[in-house]
Amino acid sequence: MAPRYGDHAVAAAGSAVRRDGALFMPAEATRSVLGAGPQEWEHFRGHWDMLAQDRYADDRGTCRLRRYGNLSVTAATGEIRHLPHAPFVQPANSSPFYIDTDRTFEPLTDSFLSDPVFGKVLRILGQVATALDDAPVWDVKIHLFRVVAATASKGLPAPEGRAP
């Protein structure tokens, strides 16, 4: 059986997502549930400093940095398998800019995938997701990104809300 982190808080999170469709958990509560201190969070945050340029966003005058990957997680055991790198496919019910366009982003780094905080986050999210749908195996898509905007440059840092 996979280790469980803060069962009461995770159960409450599952209930909130089921009831409201979303959950906001303040940073202090998240750190507490994960058992991660400030140094662990700072190390985890550093992975966003290793993102790669998104060449697709560049075409629209936007600077975004990204990495993307796909995992398989077995709910009962917590086993995590790294799946082969594949293109990101924009869901049809989201941004109209890239529908029907397979976009290939740089893969997640080994250091991110092996980070203990990521492992804890993934297991807790799996516990919350299982409260919504008790699937035996989860297909997990991990998409790290950072939108870069600067007052000195013209661009559309988040064009999704604008018509193409």
Side-chain angles (χ1 to χ4, degrees):
M1 178 65 115
R4 300 190 68 82
Y5 301 95
D7 285 334
H8 177 71
V10 172
S15 294
V17 171
R18 204 172 27 259
R19 181 186 64 243
D20 304 329
L23 169 74
F24 171 75
M25 184 180 286
E28 186 174 319
T30 303
R31 279 194 302 269
S32 175
V33 168
L34 291 174
Q39 289 179 324
E40 292 167 295
W41 274 110
E42 183 59 24
H43 181 265
F44 187 61
R45 185 212 57 78
H47 295 293
W48 276 257
D49 293 337
M50 295 183 279
L51 301 180
Q53 190 74 25
D54 172 352
R55 64 181 166 40
Y56 305 96
D58 288 347
D59 294 343
R60 297 192 178 277
T62 301
C63 182
R64 289 189 180 185
L65 308 173
R66 301 179 189 256
R67 288 193 181 272
Y68 177 73
N70 197 356
L71 308 172
S72 172
V73 179
T74 303
T77 63
E79 176 191 6
I80 299 169
R81 280 192 7 213
H82 303 241
L83 300 176
H85 194 60
F88 173 76
V89 180
Q90 189 76 39
N93 64 349
S94 63
S95 171
F97 289 104
Y98 300 107
I99 292 174
D100 296 327
T101 302
D102 288 356
R103 294 182 288 161
T104 302
F105 300 116
E106 290 296 315
L108 300 169
T109 62
D110 290 339
S111 63
F112 174 80
L113 291 167
S114 64
D115 191 294
V117 173
F118 173 65
K120 292 175 183 180
V121 167
L122 187 60
R123 284 181 179 84
I124 287 174
L125 288 175
Q127 292 169 18
V128 172
T130 300
L132 301 174
D133 181 5
D134 199 12
V137 178
W138 288 94
D139 179 21
V140 180
K141 292 171 177 32
I142 312 295
H143 196 163
L144 305 179
F145 66 92
R146 174 177 279 166
V147 177
V148 180
T151 57
S153 65
K154 183 177 182 198
L156 301 171
E160 289 83 353
R162 298 178 181 93

